[in-house]
Coordinates of all heavy atoms in Angstrom, one line a residue:
M5 N -8.6 13.8 4.9 CA -7.4 14.3 5.5 C -6.6 15.2 4.4 O -6.2 16.3 4.8 CB -6.5 13.2 5.9 CG -5.2 13.6 6.3 SD -4.1 12.1 6.9 CE -2.8 12.8 7.6
Y6 N -6.4 14.8 3.2 CA -5.7 15.5 2.2 C -6.7 16.1 1.3 O -7.7 15.5 1.1 CB -4.7 14.7 1.4 CG -3.7 13.9 2.3 CD1 -3.6 12.5 2.3 CD2 -2.9 14.6 3.2 CE1 -2.7 11.9 3.1 CE2 -2.0 14.0 4.0 CZ -2.0 12.6 4.0 OH -1.0 12.1 4.8
S7 N -6.4 17.2 0.7 CA -7.3 17.9 -0.3 C -7.5 16.9 -1.4 O -6.6 16.1 -1.8 CB -6.6 19.2 -0.7 OG -5.5 19.1 -1.3
K8 N -8.6 17.0 -2.0 CA -9.0 16.0 -3.1 C -8.1 16.0 -4.2 O -7.9 15.0 -4.8 CB -10.4 16.4 -3.6 CG -11.4 15.9 -2.7 CD -12.9 16.1 -3.5 CE -13.8 16.1 -2.4 NZ -15.1 16.9 -2.9
E9 N -7.6 17.2 -4.7 CA -6.7 17.2 -6.0 C -5.3 16.6 -5.7 O -4.6 16.5 -6.7 CB -6.7 18.6 -6.5 CG -5.8 19.6 -5.7 CD -6.6 20.3 -4.6 OE1 -7.7 19.7 -4.2 OE2 -6.2 21.3 -4.0
V10 N -4.8 16.4 -4.5 CA -3.6 16.0 -4.3 C -3.4 14.5 -3.8 O -4.1 14.0 -2.8 CB -2.8 16.9 -3.3 CG1 -1.5 16.3 -2.8 CG2 -2.8 18.3 -3.8
E11 N -2.6 13.7 -4.3 CA -2.5 12.3 -4.0 C -1.6 12.3 -2.8 O -0.8 13.1 -2.5 CB -1.7 11.5 -5.2 CG -2.5 11.5 -6.3 CD -3.8 10.5 -6.3 OE1 -3.7 9.6 -5.4 OE2 -4.8 10.8 -6.9
N12 N -1.8 11.2 -2.0 CA -0.9 11.0 -0.7 C 0.5 10.9 -1.2 O 1.4 11.3 -0.4 CB -1.4 9.6 -0.2 CG -0.8 9.2 1.2 OD1 -0.1 10.2 1.8 ND2 -0.8 8.0 1.6
T13 N 0.8 10.4 -2.3 CA 2.3 10.4 -2.7 C 2.9 11.6 -2.9 O 4.0 11.8 -2.7 CB 2.4 9.4 -4.0 OG1 1.5 10.0 -5.0 CG2 2.1 8.1 -3.8
D14 N 1.9 12.6 -3.4 CA 2.6 14.0 -3.5 C 2.9 14.6 -2.2 O 3.8 15.3 -2.0 CB 1.5 14.8 -4.2 CG 1.5 14.6 -5.9 OD1 2.4 13.8 -6.2 OD2 0.6 15.2 -6.5
I15 N 1.9 14.3 -1.2 CA 2.3 14.8 0.2 C 3.6 14.3 0.7 O 4.4 15.0 1.2 CB 1.2 14.4 1.1 CG1 -0.1 15.1 0.8 CG2 1.5 14.8 2.7 CD1 -0.3 16.6 1.2
K16 N 3.9 13.0 0.5 CA 5.1 12.4 0.8 C 6.3 13.1 0.1 O 7.3 13.2 0.8 CB 5.1 10.8 0.7 CG 4.2 10.1 1.6 CD 4.0 8.7 1.4 CE 3.1 8.1 2.4 NZ 2.7 6.7 2.2
K17 N 6.1 13.2 -1.1 CA 7.2 13.9 -1.9 C 7.5 15.3 -1.3 O 8.7 15.6 -1.2 CB 6.9 14.0 -3.4 CG 7.0 12.5 -4.0 CD 6.6 12.7 -5.6 CE 6.7 11.4 -6.3 NZ 5.7 10.6 -6.1
A18 N 6.5 16.1 -0.9 CA 6.7 17.4 -0.5 C 7.4 17.2 0.8 O 8.3 18.1 1.2 CB 5.3 18.1 -0.3
R19 N 7.0 16.3 1.8 CA 7.7 16.1 3.0 C 9.1 15.7 2.9 O 10.0 16.3 3.5 CB 7.0 15.1 3.9 CG 5.6 15.5 4.4 CD 5.1 14.5 5.4 NE 3.6 14.7 5.7 CZ 2.7 13.8 5.5 NH1 3.0 12.6 5.0 NH2 1.4 14.1 5.7
Q20 N 9.4 14.9 1.9 CA 10.8 14.4 1.7 C 11.6 15.6 1.2 O 12.8 15.8 1.7 CB 10.8 13.1 0.9 CG 12.2 12.5 0.6 CD 12.9 12.1 1.8 OE1 12.1 11.5 2.7 NE2 14.1 12.3 2.2
S21 N 11.0 16.3 0.4 CA 11.7 17.5 -0.1 C 12.0 18.6 0.9 O 13.1 19.1 1.0 CB 10.9 18.3 -1.2 OG 10.8 17.3 -2.4
L22 N 11.0 18.7 1.9 CA 11.2 19.5 3.0 C 12.4 19.1 3.9 O 13.2 19.9 4.2 CB 9.9 19.7 3.8 CG 9.9 20.4 5.1 CD1 10.1 21.9 4.8 CD2 8.6 20.3 5.8
I23 N 12.5 17.9 4.2 CA 13.6 17.2 4.9 C 14.9 17.6 4.2 O 15.9 18.1 4.9 CB 13.5 15.8 5.0 CG1 12.4 15.3 5.9 CG2 14.8 15.1 5.4 CD1 11.9 13.8 5.9
E24 N 14.9 17.5 2.9 CA 16.3 17.7 2.2 C 16.6 19.2 2.1 O 17.7 19.6 2.2 CB 16.1 17.1 0.7 CG 16.0 15.6 0.8 CD 15.5 14.9 -0.5 OE1 15.2 15.7 -1.5 OE2 15.4 13.7 -0.5
E25 N 15.5 20.0 2.0 CA 15.8 21.5 2.1 C 16.4 21.9 3.4 O 17.3 22.8 3.5 CB 14.6 22.3 1.7 CG 14.0 22.1 0.4 CD 14.8 22.6 -0.7 OE1 15.9 23.1 -0.6 OE2 14.4 22.3 -1.9
I26 N 15.8 21.4 4.5 CA 16.3 21.6 5.9 C 17.7 21.1 6.0 O 18.6 21.9 6.5 CB 15.3 21.0 6.9 CG1 14.2 21.8 6.9 CG2 16.1 21.1 8.3 CD1 13.0 21.1 7.7
E27 N 18.0 20.0 5.5 CA 19.4 19.4 5.6 C 20.3 20.2 4.8 O 21.5 20.5 5.2 CB 19.4 17.9 5.0 CG 18.8 16.9 5.9 CD 18.8 15.6 5.4 OE1 18.8 15.3 4.2 OE2 18.7 14.6 6.2
A28 N 19.9 20.8 3.6 CA 20.7 21.6 2.8 C 21.1 22.9 3.6 O 22.4 23.3 3.5 CB 20.0 22.0 1.5
V29 N 20.2 23.5 4.3 CA 20.5 24.7 5.2 C 21.7 24.3 6.2 O 22.7 25.0 6.2 CB 19.4 25.2 6.0 CG1 19.8 26.3 6.9 CG2 18.3 25.7 4.9
N30 N 21.6 23.2 6.9 CA 22.6 22.7 7.8 C 24.0 22.5 7.1 O 25.0 22.8 7.5 CB 22.1 21.5 8.5 CG 21.2 21.8 9.8 OD1 21.1 22.9 10.1 ND2 20.6 20.7 10.2
W31 N 23.9 21.8 5.9 CA 25.1 21.6 5.2 C 25.7 22.9 4.8 O 27.0 23.0 5.0 CB 24.8 20.8 3.8 CG 24.6 19.4 4.1 CD1 23.5 18.5 3.8 CD2 25.6 18.4 4.7 NE1 23.7 17.2 4.1 CE2 25.0 17.1 4.7 CE3 26.9 18.4 5.1 CZ2 25.6 15.9 5.3 CZ3 27.6 17.4 5.5 CH2 27.0 16.2 5.6
Y32 N 24.9 23.9 4.3 CA 25.6 25.2 3.9 C 26.2 25.8 5.2 O 27.3 26.4 5.0 CB 24.6 26.1 3.3 CG 24.4 25.9 1.8 CD1 23.3 25.5 1.3 CD2 25.4 26.2 0.9 CE1 23.1 25.2 -0.1 CE2 25.2 26.0 -0.5 CZ 24.2 25.6 -1.0 OH 24.0 25.4 -2.3
E33 N 25.4 25.7 6.2 CA 26.1 26.5 7.5 C 27.3 25.8 8.0 O 28.3 26.5 8.3 CB 25.0 26.4 8.6 CG 23.7 27.1 8.2 CD 23.2 28.2 9.1 OE1 23.3 27.9 10.5 OE2 22.8 29.3 8.8
T34 N 27.4 24.5 7.8 CA 28.6 23.8 8.2 C 29.8 24.2 7.4 O 30.9 24.5 7.7 CB 28.4 22.3 8.3 OG1 27.5 21.9 9.1 CG2 29.7 21.5 8.5
R35 N 29.4 24.1 5.9 CA 30.5 24.5 4.9 C 30.9 26.0 5.1 O 32.1 26.3 4.9 CB 29.8 24.4 3.5 CG 30.8 24.1 2.5 CD 30.2 23.4 1.3 NE 29.8 22.1 1.6 CZ 28.6 21.4 1.0 NH1 28.1 22.0 0.0 NH2 28.4 20.2 1.3
I36 N 30.1 26.9 5.3 CA 30.4 28.4 5.5 C 31.3 28.6 6.5 O 32.4 29.5 6.4 CB 29.0 29.1 5.7 CG1 28.2 29.3 4.4 CG2 29.4 30.5 6.2 CD1 26.8 29.6 4.6
E37 N 31.2 27.8 7.7 CA 32.2 27.9 8.7 C 33.6 27.9 8.4 O 34.4 28.5 8.9 CB 31.9 26.9 9.9 CG 30.6 27.3 10.6 CD 30.2 26.1 11.6 OE1 31.1 25.2 11.8 OE2 29.1 26.0 12.0
G38 N 33.9 27.0 7.4 CA 35.3 26.7 7.1 C 35.8 27.5 5.8 O 36.9 27.4 5.4
V39 N 34.9 28.4 5.2 CA 35.3 29.1 4.0 C 36.3 30.2 4.4 O 35.9 31.1 5.2 CB 34.1 29.5 3.2 CG1 34.5 30.4 2.1 CG2 33.4 28.3 2.6
K40 N 37.3 30.4 3.6 CA 38.3 31.6 3.8 C 38.0 32.8 2.9 O 38.2 33.8 3.2 CB 39.6 31.0 3.7 CG 40.0 30.0 4.8 CD 41.6 29.7 4.7 CE 42.0 28.8 5.8 NZ 41.6 27.5 5.6
D41 N 37.6 32.3 1.5 CA 37.4 33.5 0.5 C 36.1 34.2 0.8 O 35.1 33.6 0.9 CB 37.4 32.8 -0.8 CG 37.2 33.9 -1.9 OD1 38.2 34.5 -2.2 OD2 36.1 34.2 -2.2
P42 N 36.1 35.5 1.1 CA 34.9 36.3 1.4 C 33.8 36.1 0.4 O 32.6 36.1 0.6 CB 35.3 37.6 1.6 CG 36.9 37.7 1.6 CD 37.2 36.3 1.0
E43 N 34.3 36.2 -1.0 CA 33.3 36.1 -2.0 C 32.6 34.7 -2.1 O 31.3 34.7 -2.3 CB 33.9 36.3 -3.4 CG 33.1 36.4 -4.6 CD 33.8 36.4 -6.0 OE1 35.0 36.6 -6.0 OE2 33.2 36.4 -7.0
L44 N 33.3 33.7 -2.0 CA 32.6 32.4 -1.8 C 31.7 32.3 -0.7 O 30.7 31.7 -0.7 CB 33.8 31.2 -1.7 CG 33.2 29.8 -1.6 CD1 32.4 29.5 -2.8 CD2 34.3 28.8 -1.5
K45 N 32.2 32.9 0.4 CA 31.3 32.8 1.7 C 30.0 33.5 1.3 O 29.0 33.1 1.7 CB 32.0 33.6 2.9 CG 31.3 33.4 4.1 CD 32.2 34.0 5.3 CE 31.4 33.8 6.7 NZ 32.2 34.3 7.7
R46 N 30.0 34.7 0.7 CA 28.7 35.4 0.3 C 27.9 34.5 -0.5 O 26.6 34.5 -0.3 CB 29.1 36.7 -0.3 CG 29.5 37.9 0.7 CD 29.4 39.2 0.0 NE 30.3 39.3 -1.2 CZ 31.7 39.7 -1.0 NH1 32.2 39.8 0.2 NH2 32.5 39.7 -2.1
I47 N 28.5 33.9 -1.5 CA 27.7 33.0 -2.5 C 27.0 31.9 -1.5 O 25.8 31.7 -1.8 CB 28.7 32.4 -3.6 CG1 29.2 33.4 -4.4 CG2 27.9 31.3 -4.3 CD1 30.2 33.1 -5.5
L48 N 27.8 31.3 -0.8 CA 27.2 30.1 0.0 C 26.2 30.6 0.9 O 25.1 30.0 1.1 CB 28.3 29.4 0.7 CG 29.4 28.7 -0.1 CD1 30.4 28.0 0.7 CD2 28.7 27.7 -1.1
E49 N 26.3 31.8 1.5 CA 25.3 32.4 2.4 C 24.1 32.7 1.6 O 22.9 32.5 2.1 CB 25.9 33.7 3.0 CG 26.8 33.3 4.2 CD 27.5 34.6 4.7 OE1 27.6 35.6 4.0 OE2 28.1 34.4 5.8
H50 N 24.2 33.3 0.4 CA 23.1 33.4 -0.4 C 22.3 32.2 -0.7 O 21.1 32.1 -0.8 CB 23.6 34.2 -1.8 CG 22.5 34.3 -2.9 ND1 21.5 35.3 -3.0 CD2 22.2 33.4 -3.9 CE1 20.8 35.0 -3.9 NE2 21.2 34.0 -4.5
N51 N 23.1 31.2 -1.2 CA 22.5 29.8 -1.5 C 21.7 29.3 -0.3 O 20.6 28.7 -0.4 CB 23.5 28.9 -2.0 CG 24.1 29.4 -3.3 OD1 23.7 30.4 -3.9 ND2 25.1 28.6 -3.8
R52 N 22.3 29.4 0.9 CA 21.7 29.0 2.1 C 20.3 29.6 2.4 O 19.4 29.0 2.7 CB 22.6 29.2 3.3 CG 22.0 28.8 4.7 CD 22.5 29.6 5.8 NE 22.5 31.0 5.6 CZ 23.2 31.9 6.2 NH1 24.2 31.5 7.1 NH2 23.1 33.2 5.9
D53 N 20.4 31.0 2.1 CA 19.2 31.7 2.4 C 18.0 31.3 1.3 O 16.9 31.3 1.5 CB 19.4 33.2 2.2 CG 20.2 33.6 3.4 OD1 20.4 32.8 4.5 OD2 20.8 34.7 3.4
E54 N 18.5 30.9 0.0 CA 17.5 30.5 -1.0 C 16.9 29.2 -0.5 O 15.7 28.9 -0.7 CB 18.2 30.3 -2.3 CG 18.4 31.6 -2.9 CD 18.6 31.5 -4.5 OE1 18.9 30.5 -4.9 OE2 18.5 32.6 -5.2
E55 N 17.7 28.2 0.2 CA 17.0 27.1 0.7 C 16.1 27.4 1.7 O 15.1 26.6 1.9 CB 18.3 26.2 1.3 CG 19.4 25.8 0.4 CD 18.9 25.0 -0.9 OE1 17.8 24.6 -0.9 OE2 19.8 24.9 -1.8
K56 N 16.3 28.4 2.6 CA 15.2 28.7 3.6 C 14.0 29.2 2.8 O 12.9 28.9 3.3 CB 15.7 29.9 4.4 CG 17.0 29.4 5.4 CD 17.3 30.5 6.2 CE 18.5 29.9 7.1 NZ 18.9 30.9 8.1
E57 N 14.0 29.9 1.6 CA 12.9 30.1 0.8 C 12.2 28.9 0.4 O 10.9 28.7 0.4 CB 13.2 30.9 -0.4 CG 13.4 32.4 -0.1 CD 13.6 33.2 -1.4 OE1 12.9 32.9 -2.4 OE2 14.5 34.1 -1.5
H58 N 12.9 27.9 -0.1 CA 12.4 26.6 -0.5 C 11.6 26.0 0.7 O 10.6 25.4 0.4 CB 13.4 25.7 -1.1 CG 14.2 26.3 -2.2 ND1 15.4 25.8 -2.7 CD2 13.9 27.3 -3.0 CE1 15.8 26.6 -3.6 NE2 14.9 27.5 -3.9
I59 N 12.3 26.0 1.8 CA 11.5 25.5 3.0 C 10.1 26.1 3.2 O 9.2 25.4 3.4 CB 12.4 25.7 4.3 CG1 13.6 24.7 4.2 CG2 11.6 25.3 5.6 CD1 14.6 25.1 5.4
A60 N 10.1 27.4 3.2 CA 8.8 28.2 3.3 C 7.8 27.8 2.3 O 6.7 27.5 2.6 CB 9.1 29.7 3.3
M61 N 8.3 27.6 1.1 CA 7.4 27.3 -0.1 C 6.8 25.9 0.1 O 5.6 25.7 0.0 CB 8.1 27.4 -1.4 CG 8.6 28.7 -1.8 SD 9.9 28.7 -3.2 CE 8.9 28.2 -4.5
L62 N 7.6 25.0 0.6 CA 7.1 23.6 0.8 C 6.1 23.6 2.0 O 5.1 22.9 1.9 CB 8.3 22.7 1.0 CG 9.0 22.4 -0.3 CD1 10.3 21.7 -0.1 CD2 8.2 21.3 -1.2
L63 N 6.4 24.3 3.0 CA 5.6 24.3 4.2 C 4.2 24.9 3.8 O 3.2 24.4 4.2 CB 6.2 25.2 5.4 CG 7.1 24.3 6.3 CD1 7.9 25.4 7.3 CD2 6.4 23.3 7.0
E64 N 4.2 25.8 3.1 CA 2.9 26.6 2.6 C 2.2 25.5 1.8 O 1.0 25.4 1.9 CB 3.1 27.8 1.8 CG 3.5 28.9 2.7 CD 3.8 30.2 1.9 OE1 3.8 30.2 0.6 OE2 3.9 31.4 2.5
W65 N 2.9 24.8 0.9 CA 2.2 23.9 0.1 C 1.6 22.7 0.9 O 0.4 22.4 0.8 CB 3.2 23.3 -1.0 CG 2.4 22.4 -1.9 CD1 2.0 22.7 -3.3 CD2 2.2 21.0 -1.8 NE1 1.3 21.7 -3.7 CE2 1.5 20.6 -3.0 CE3 2.5 20.1 -0.9 CZ2 0.9 19.4 -3.2 CZ3 2.0 18.8 -1.0 CH2 1.3 18.4 -2.2
I66 N 2.4 22.4 1.8 CA 1.9 21.1 2.7 C 0.7 21.6 3.6 O -0.3 20.9 3.7 CB 3.2 20.7 3.6 CG1 4.2 19.9 2.8 CG2 2.6 19.8 4.7 CD1 5.5 19.6 3.4
R67 N 0.9 22.8 4.1 CA -0.4 23.3 4.9 C -1.6 23.4 4.1 O -2.7 23.1 4.6 CB 0.0 24.7 5.5 CG 1.0 24.7 6.6 CD 1.2 25.9 7.3 NE -0.1 26.3 8.0 CZ -0.2 27.4 8.8 NH1 0.8 28.3 9.0 NH2 -1.3 27.7 9.4
K68 N -1.4 23.8 2.8 CA -2.5 24.0 2.0 C -3.1 22.6 1.6 O -4.4 22.5 1.4 CB -2.1 24.6 0.6 CG -3.1 25.2 -0.3 CD -2.4 26.0 -1.3 CE -3.3 25.9 -2.6 NZ -2.5 26.4 -3.7
H69 N -2.4 21.5 1.5 CA -3.0 20.3 1.0 C -3.1 19.3 2.1 O -3.8 18.2 1.8 CB -2.1 19.7 -0.1 CG -2.1 20.5 -1.2 ND1 -1.3 21.7 -1.5 CD2 -3.0 20.7 -2.3 CE1 -1.5 22.3 -2.7 NE2 -2.6 21.7 -3.2
D70 N -2.5 19.5 3.3 CA -2.8 18.5 4.4 C -3.4 19.3 5.5 O -2.8 20.0 6.2 CB -1.4 18.0 5.0 CG -1.6 17.1 6.0 OD1 -2.5 17.0 6.8 OD2 -0.5 16.3 6.4
K71 N -4.7 19.1 5.6 CA -5.6 19.9 6.4 C -5.3 19.7 8.0 O -5.3 20.5 8.8 CB -7.0 19.6 6.2 CG -7.4 19.9 4.8 CD -7.2 21.3 4.6 CE -7.4 21.8 3.2 NZ -6.7 23.2 2.7
E72 N -4.9 18.4 8.3 CA -4.5 18.1 9.7 C -3.2 18.9 10.1 O -3.1 19.4 11.2 CB -4.2 16.6 9.9 CG -5.7 15.8 9.9 CD -5.5 14.4 10.2 OE1 -4.4 13.9 10.4 OE2 -6.5 13.7 10.1
Q73 N -2.4 18.9 9.2 CA -1.1 19.7 9.5 C -1.3 21.1 9.6 O -0.8 21.8 10.5 CB -0.1 19.4 8.3 CG 1.3 20.0 8.5 CD 2.0 19.4 9.7 OE1 2.5 18.4 9.7 NE2 2.1 20.2 10.8
D74 N -2.1 21.6 8.7 CA -2.4 23.1 8.7 C -3.1 23.3 10.1 O -2.8 24.4 10.8 CB -3.5 23.4 7.7 CG -3.7 24.9 7.7 OD1 -2.8 25.7 7.7 OD2 -5.0 25.2 7.6
K75 N -4.1 22.4 10.6 CA -4.7 22.6 11.9 C -3.8 22.7 12.9 O -3.9 23.4 14.0 CB -5.8 21.5 12.1 CG -7.0 21.8 13.0 CD -7.9 20.6 12.7 CE -8.5 20.3 14.2 NZ -9.4 19.2 14.2
A76 N -2.7 21.8 13.0 CA -1.7 21.8 14.0 C -0.9 23.1 14.1 O -0.6 23.5 15.2 CB -0.7 20.6 13.7
F77 N -0.7 23.8 13.0 CA -0.1 25.1 13.1 C -1.0 26.0 13.9 O -0.6 26.9 14.6 CB 0.1 25.6 11.7 CG 1.4 25.2 11.2 CD1 1.4 24.1 10.4 CD2 2.6 25.8 11.4 CE1 2.7 23.7 9.7 CE2 3.9 25.4 10.9 CZ 3.8 24.5 10.0
E78 N -2.4 25.9 13.7 CA -3.3 26.8 14.5 C -3.4 26.5 15.7 O -3.7 27.3 16.7 CB -4.6 26.8 13.6 CG -4.6 27.2 12.1 CD -4.1 28.6 11.9 OE1 -4.2 29.5 12.8 OE2 -3.4 28.8 10.9
E79 N -3.4 25.2 16.0 CA -3.8 24.7 17.4 C -3.0 24.1 18.3 O -3.2 23.6 19.5 CB -5.0 23.8 17.2 CG -6.3 24.3 16.5 CD -7.3 23.3 16.2 OE1 -7.2 22.0 16.4 OE2 -8.3 23.7 15.6
H80 N -1.6 24.1 18.0 CA -0.6 23.5 18.9 C -0.4 24.1 20.2 O -0.8 25.4 20.3 CB 0.7 23.2 18.2 CG 1.4 24.6 17.9 ND1 2.1 25.3 19.0 CD2 1.5 25.4 16.8 CE1 2.6 26.5 18.3 NE2 2.2 26.5 17.1
D81 N -0.1 23.5 21.2 CA 0.1 24.0 22.6 C 1.2 25.2 22.6 O 2.0 25.2 21.9 CB 0.5 22.9 23.6 CG -0.5 21.9 23.7 OD1 -1.7 22.2 23.4 OD2 -0.2 20.7 24.0
Ligands
FE2_101 FE1 16.4 24.0 -2.4

């Protein structure tokens, strides 16, 4: 199921990090809604977008190391 070089615990750590990155995007979006200062708003939007990059990086890593997950991206309905 998992690639040989990666332990099951590493997969779980990657999934948990993915959860936290997705939550971070939601936290930033909620926070941005209430910001009055335009400069702070730009900073928070930038930070939110970086979290989206982190999501992409983790998803790529998970796909690389969890073959069933990778297959699901290719074969889902
Ligand atoms: Fe992040």
Side-chain angles (χ1 to χ4, degrees):
M5 177 179 183
Y6 304 122
S7 60
K8 276 185 204 157
E9 70 274 13
V10 173
E11 296 290 329
N12 188 13
T13 52
D14 281 356
I15 294 282
K16 288 177 180 167
K17 286 182 173 82
R19 289 189 192 120
Q20 187 58 43
S21 294
L22 179 61
I23 289 167
E24 290 163 3
E25 299 294 356
I26 291 168
E27 285 178 339
V29 171
N30 277 347
W31 281 116
Y32 273 116
E33 298 235 316
T34 300
R35 199 159 298 153
I36 288 163
E37 285 170 20
V39 169
K40 293 187 176 79
D41 182 84
E43 185 184 357
L44 178 59
K45 191 175 179 182
R46 279 195 300 278
I47 291 167
L48 296 179
E49 286 169 342
H50 169 85
N51 292 356
R52 175 205 56 204
D53 293 343
E54 286 199 341
E55 302 301 350
K56 291 182 181 182
E57 276 187 47
H58 300 166
I59 290 168
M61 292 164 74
L62 284 164
L63 272 173
E64 282 181 354
W65 186 93
I66 290 168
R67 287 189 70 175
K68 193 169 147 190
H69 293 93
D70 179 343
K71 296 305 167 197
E72 287 180 5
Q73 184 64 72
D74 184 52
K75 206 169 141 191
F77 273 94
E78 301 299 331
E79 296 179 357
H80 68 79
D81 295 334

